[in-house]
Every structure is written in structure tokens, then in C-alpha cells.
Amino acid sequence: MVTQTALEPFLGPDVNTGYDRARVVILPIPYEATTTYRRGCQRGPAAILNASQQVEYYDEELEEEVWPVGIYTHPPICDTGVEPELSAQSMLDSCRAVVCQLAQAGKFVVSLGGEHSITTGIVQGYLQAGLAPFTVVQIDAHTDLRDEYEGSKYNHACVMRRIVDLGVPTVQIGVRSLCREEADFVRSQGLMVLRAREIAADPLWSDRALAAVATRRVFLTVDLDGIDPTLIPGVGTPEPGGLNWYSLLGFCRRLFADYEVIGADIMELAPVQDSVVSEFTAAKLAHKLIGYKFLVSSP
């Protein structure tokens, strides 16, 4: 594993906290190897960190500044801009080791991708840290349940299949694209998949989603294509539909209030030239998740 020089810290250097005092660690993982449509997600973490410099410290919903919880930005790991031939297994091993170390140190880790295949390594890190049982709650346009895609079991289209293989329960939210193989697998395994069209038709969809969470602990993975592409066009596959901003935040706030969220990731940002909408929205989301973790009651 090559660890690159640190990027600009989340929210900026004026509120950057040293590692020892930080309760939150921002972990950039600019890995991209298997994206299949619009490329560029290896530039996602740097774009989010740069955009975060423009996020207001004060959260108008929570009526507090979030930064005093202590936020440290870790140097990037698994950077395919530095190591273009980095293998999927090496990436997963590095993510597992770093996340395990951070989790055992009691840090709340917000990982920034990079492609969604990274999440398998992150989940393995929490398992190794002894935090099971936990449920992976996924916000995504796609189920990512293919057993193999384009010759690889570690393609970004297979990430949730690998997590199911690990024996970790899942809840999938915002789905509006899947193949026949995935549809059959969902039925055969009885997986909870809440589709975007169901969400659009049911104002109480959050109740159904939260009721399906099987454990007290939760890991939240957000593929940004789960959000409506009119809000975040900078993704690899911008599927029509998806969650709107306040629907997303309302669900996330309730998730953090009702469960112990052990970590989160934000994946698949591929910056759009001459636009900062996608990365700023992603940075704002990361800021909101940190606020919900430390400023909203949880068990």
C-alpha cells in the first residue's frame, strides 16, 4: 500500500484537529479500477475535500457548529493515481487494515471514494474490529448484487453480493436498476430492497426501511447515484429518479437517532467539468452525517 501526501483537510485547516483528539476521521480512498460507464471517481475524494472548504461550519438544522467534535483528515490510501496497477485484493486488504485500526481506536470513520467496490474492504475492517453484528444500510440506484461482472468478483457492480457473502444483513434503499440475476437473487434470499418508485409513492417509506434493520449497529454506505441526478449529476451512472435532498436527510437523521451508526462511506463521485454542484453536495452530506452522529441522540 502506498499512502499519499495528505490532501486539504475536511472543512479546511482552521478547524483541522490532530488525530489523537479527533473523534471523526475522514478517510479518502481514491481507488478506481472497474467503473463501467463514466469514469473519474478516483478524483472524487479530492474534489469533496476541496468543496468542503466552502461548507458553513454552522448547521442550520442542528443549530450547532459541527467541527468541535474533532475531525481529522487521514492521508489518502489505495490511490490508483499513484498506483495505477493496484489490485483489488491489495485495495481490500489495505482498507480492511486501516479501518480496523481506526475503529479499534474508537474513531468514527467517514470514507470517501472512489468506486463502490471499496466498501467490501471497509466492512471487513469493522468485522475484524469485532463490531459485528451490524447491518449495512445502502443508498444506491443499483443493487450491486451481481456475483461477477466483466470477469471480476470485485467489480463495483458486485460489492453488495460480497457483503451478503460475508453474512452481514443488508437494507437497500433507492434502487431503480438491476439485472435479472440480481432480481432472482433478491427473491431467493429474501433481501430488503426498497425501490425508488416505492419511496416516491409512500410518504412513510422511512418507517419500512428502519423496521427492516436487523441489528442495533449499522454501517451506512451511500453511492451518490442513489440521489436524484438533478442534485448530483457527477456519478458514473446517473439513473433517473432517486432520493431528493430532504428525503435523504430525514432518513439519515432517523437512522442515526434510532441506531448506533458505526461508520459511513460516500462513494462514486466523478466530478463534472465546470461544475461544483456534485462535490459540494457530497461534502455537505458528509458534514450532515457527522452532525447526526454526534449532535442527535442515539442509543
Side-chain angles (χ1 to χ4, degrees), residues 18-283:
Y19 175 82
D20 290 341
R21 293 179 52 239
R23 290 197 281 174
V24 179
V25 171
I26 304 293
L27 179 61
I29 312 175
Y31 176 85
E32 180 174 25
T34 72
T35 46
T36 47
Y37 189 14
R38 185 174 173 275
R39 295 185 61 83
C41 64
Q42 72 179 16
R43 300 192 301 274
I48 295 170
L49 291 172
N50 185 57
S52 76
Q53 320 285 307
Q54 305 303 320
V55 172
E56 205 55 80
Y57 297 158
Y58 180 80
D59 186 289
E60 58 84 23
E61 175 194 357
L62 300 175
E63 300 183 325
E64 295 276 358
E65 289 191 344
V66 173
W67 67 267
V69 305
I71 304 171
Y72 169 77
T73 302
H74 194 286
I77 64 170
C78 306
D79 187 346
T80 47
V82 174
E83 290 184 280
E85 303 304 319
L86 182 67
S87 71
Q89 191 59 60
S90 294
M91 177 274 291
L92 295 175
D93 289 345
S94 295
C95 291
R96 174 183 46 76
V98 172
V99 170
C100 177
Q101 179 183 28
L102 295 172
Q104 288 180 330
K107 308 298 186 183
F108 181 74
V109 183
V110 180
S111 300
L112 306 178
E115 67 173 60
H116 209 176
S117 61
I118 294 165
T119 300
T120 300
I122 295 171
V123 168
Q124 289 172 332
Y126 285 107
L127 292 172
Q128 184 173 314
L131 293 179
F134 58 88
T135 299
V136 173
V137 174
Q138 171 200 12
I139 295 172
D140 203 321
H142 311 89
T143 56
D144 292 340
L145 287 168
R146 297 174 192 259
D147 188 45
E148 181 178 296
Y149 194 61
E150 294 191 338
S152 173
K153 286 183 173 289
Y154 298 109
N155 190 284
H156 70 126
C158 308
V159 58
M160 294 304 291
R161 183 67 168 262
R162 301 289 76 84
I163 289 170
V164 171
D165 288 347
L166 291 170
V168 177
T170 63
V171 174
Q172 299 178 277
I173 296 168
V175 169
R176 50 203 189 273
S177 179
L178 69 168
C179 70
R180 175 61 63 87
E181 174 199 350
E182 292 171 299
D184 291 343
F185 187 74
V186 168
R187 283 191 291 269
S188 68
Q189 300 298 310
L191 300 181
M192 172 53 171
V193 177
L194 192 58
R195 307 187 189 215
R197 56 182 167 78
E198 298 176 86
I199 290 172
D202 182 4
L204 300 179
W205 68 269
S206 289
D207 295 339
R208 291 175 55 201
L210 292 168
V213 176
T215 57
R216 180 175 64 87
R217 289 176 173 157
V218 165
F219 176 78
L220 175 64
T221 179
V222 180
D223 185 324
L224 291 169
D225 68 22
I227 302 168
D228 192 301
T230 59
L231 294 174
I232 300 190
V235 294
T237 309
E239 293 280 350
L243 298 178
N244 67 45
W245 180 244
Y246 290 108
S247 181
L248 170 67
L249 293 187
F251 171 75
C252 288
R253 179 166 182 158
R254 289 187 62 190
L255 183 71
F256 277 81
D258 292 351
Y259 295 91
E260 180 189 350
V261 181
I262 60 174
D265 68 37
I266 298 173
M267 296 294 173
E268 298 271 354
L269 174 72
V272 175
Q273 188 174 2
D274 297 327
S275 173
V276 295
V277 171
S278 300
E279 48 262 49
F280 183 80
T281 304

